Amino acid sequence: MPDLHSREEQMTAFGKLLDILDILRVRCPWDRKQTLHSLRPNTVEEVYELSDALLKEDYDAISKELGDVLLHVVFYAKIGSETGAFDIKDVCDKLVDKLIYRHPHIFGEAKVKDAHDVEQNWEQLKLKEKGGNKTVLSGVPASLPSLIKAYRIQEKVANVGFDWDNPDEVWDKVYEEIGELRSELAKPAEENRERQEMEFGDFLFSLVNAGRKYGLDADTALSRTNDKFARRFGHIERRAGELGKTLGEMTLAEMDDLYREAKMLE
């Protein structure tokens, strides 16, 4: 598919964005007072809004939310330039250098068979980079949401060979973990809550790993299920209103019937 706009038009648009931010940084009280720390919570929120748009494949929303994320990128670069620490050229240069270094099969002499080889090379190269990750897992941000973090941990160790060869083998671990969880749950909770929580975490970790082996991302899958459940439960609430009832007045069987009705309507 051809580009919607020429490279020249794209560069002009990017330059205009930088010019606008320069003006706002001087003239707008809100923009002027922002710091690296004050912007961080907003950045996290913008990334989640982009994630929602991506899951919905809403291209208008994706374009808008990408713009919001891009604004934060250039804003941080602007703040960095004001202290002489870095600017947007440094950001781009570092990214270009990293992409070239981590793609020796494109810009060098390395040979790869498939995408899996590329991922394995990527992890090895990151360990060798000056100022890069010192261990395999040091590049996983501590603040990542737990499901995403579990997936990234498993993906990273798999890229250095710590993984099952056959996807079916992961199910033995899942069954082992659910057995240990059920055993702990059979004990009094007040005496064993920490152990139960640990085993529940092990079980969830094994499920994330099972999904990964079959090319399924746990966070994406659960996000879609959350949306689906919320949509179906919304149907229950609407139908209850039409029947002149509150949810508290309905039996579980009645709500189950409406939930099945919602499934049939999809």
Side-chain angles (χ1 to χ4, degrees):
M1 178 184 293
D3 291 338
L4 294 173
H5 299 95
S6 68
R7 176 59 63 87
E8 181 179 357
E9 289 172 318
Q10 293 175 39
M11 296 302 293
T12 298
F14 186 67
K16 186 174 182 179
L17 170 61
L18 297 179
D19 291 340
I20 290 293
L21 188 58
D22 286 344
I23 295 170
L24 294 177
R25 187 66 170 163
V26 173
R27 298 184 184 178
C28 175
W30 187 89
D31 290 283
R32 188 167 57 243
K33 76 174 187 178
Q34 297 310 307
T35 66
L36 297 178
H37 295 293
S38 69
L39 278 177
R40 189 187 67 81
N42 302 74
T43 306
V44 173
E45 181 179 343
E46 295 297 353
V47 171
Y48 274 108
E49 290 178 358
L50 172 60
S51 176
D52 287 343
L54 291 168
L55 285 172
K56 296 173 183 174
E57 296 187 9
D58 183 338
Y59 291 104
D60 285 339
I62 291 171
S63 178
K64 173 185 175 297
E65 299 302 340
L66 281 172
D68 290 343
V69 172
L70 178 59
L71 170 61
H72 282 247
V73 172
V74 297
F75 210 145
Y76 288 121
K78 176 63 178 175
I79 294 172
S81 71
E82 293 167 353
T83 63
F86 63 92
D87 62 15
I88 195 65
K89 181 180 184 302
D90 295 314
V91 173
C92 292
D93 286 346
K94 284 182 170 61
L95 177 57
V96 167
D97 290 345
K98 179 169 67 176
L99 290 173
I100 291 173
Y101 176 74
R102 293 188 184 175
H103 290 80
H105 55 291
I106 302 297
F107 302 105
E109 303 298 324
K111 305 294 182 184
V112 296
K113 298 191 299 292
D114 52 29
H116 181 62
D117 280 359
V118 174
E119 290 175 352
Q120 289 185 316
N121 285 347
W122 186 279
E123 294 299 334
Q124 295 295 335
L125 288 166
K126 284 198 287 187
L127 291 173
K128 296 176 183 177
E129 286 177 3
K130 182 179 179 181
N133 300 333
K134 302 304 181 185
T135 66
V136 172
L137 297 181
S138 61
V140 180
S143 59
L144 273 180
S146 296
L147 279 180
I148 298 174
K149 188 175 183 179
Y151 187 96
R152 291 294 290 136
I153 287 172
Q154 294 163 4
E155 188 177 47
K156 281 182 172 291
V157 299
N159 284 334
V160 293
F162 193 72
D163 198 12
W164 287 279
D165 293 326
N166 187 333
D168 288 341
E169 293 173 322
V170 73
W171 291 111
D172 290 336
K173 187 63 176 175
V174 172
Y175 298 141
E176 175 189 330
E177 295 298 349
I178 197 171
E180 293 177 1
L181 172 61
R182 294 185 68 179
S183 176
E184 293 300 329
L185 290 176
K187 302 173 184 177
E190 61 273 10
E191 301 174 8
N192 204 42
R193 177 60 69 194
E194 185 175 343
R195 182 72 184 179
Q196 290 175 346
E197 187 177 76
M198 184 183 72
E199 293 298 344
F200 187 51
D202 290 347
F203 173 56
L204 291 175
F205 193 84
S206 69
L207 280 180
V208 173
N209 217 5
R212 180 187 62 82
K213 290 299 291 182
Y214 288 89
L216 301 171
D217 178 82
D219 185 71
T220 299
L222 186 56
S223 292
R224 293 190 187 282
T225 294
N226 288 341
D227 290 343
K228 179 178 62 179
F229 181 86
R231 186 172 62 250
R232 291 175 179 175
F233 194 79
H235 176 81
I236 295 175
E237 291 182 297
R238 288 191 299 274
R239 290 285 289 118
E242 292 170 2
L243 295 170
K245 293 184 177 182
T246 66
L247 294 180
E249 294 170 338
M250 299 185 73
T251 66
L252 178 59
E254 289 175 320
M255 286 191 283
D256 276 340
D257 286 341
L258 293 179
Y259 190 86
R260 284 191 291 269
E261 181 178 279
K263 289 176 65 175
M264 293 290 293
L265 292 172
E266 291 181 348

